[in-house]
Amino acid sequence: MKAALLYRSKTVLSDGAIVEMVIWKVPRPVAGSHHAYKYSLFYGYEGQRVVAYDNERGKGDHRHIRGHEEGYEFSTVDRLIADFLEDVHVRRQHGR
């Protein structure tokens, strides 16, 4: 089985902020993760990451919030998207 794209979306908001989500189903877990998904979720501005979730090879599941990196407990794709969008919502309420 090859990697299969499950979800891709990119939205540019009225203030120029970018919300982009890409999720793949992969044949085996990415090194450091224990599930069959590879993902990259981004919220920020050109040249500025505000919120990002990803599972980079060797690092496993983690998120970036305003320059701070911390582990993320992946459970489902739906929960991943909901958690990401909640973090985006919080950051938008409190400014960049």
Side-chain angles (χ1 to χ4, degrees), residues 1 36 72 75 91:
M1 171 183 141
Y72 173 73
S75 60
R91 294 321 167 285

Side-chain angles (χ1 to χ4, degrees), residues 18-36:
I18 301 162
V19 178
E20 185 170 16
M21 296 182 277
V22 181
I23 304 170
W24 295 84
K25 174 91 168 156
V26 293
R28 59 189 148 302
V30 172
S33 295
H34 302 285
H35 52 79

Side-chain angles (χ1 to χ4, degrees), residues 4 7-8 26-27 29 32 43 47 49 51 60 71 75-76 82 87 89:
Y7 184 79
R8 173 174 281 171
V26 293
Y43 164 71
R49 175 175 61 193
V51 175
S75 60
T76 67
D87 279 340
H89 175 75

Side-chain angles (χ1 to χ4, degrees), residues 13-19 42-51 91-92 95-96:
L13 304 177
S14 61
D15 66 348
I18 301 162
V19 178
F42 172 88
Y43 164 71
Y45 298 83
E46 191 68 38
Q48 179 190 12
R49 175 175 61 193
V50 178
V51 175
R91 294 321 167 285
R92 289 190 65 75
R96 291 183 185 195

Side-chain angles (χ1 to χ4, degrees), residues 4 17-18 27 41 49 52 60 63 85 90 93-96:
I18 301 162
L41 290 72
R49 175 175 61 193
R63 66 184 184 167
L85 292 176
V90 167
Q93 294 299 311
H94 299 290
R96 291 183 185 195

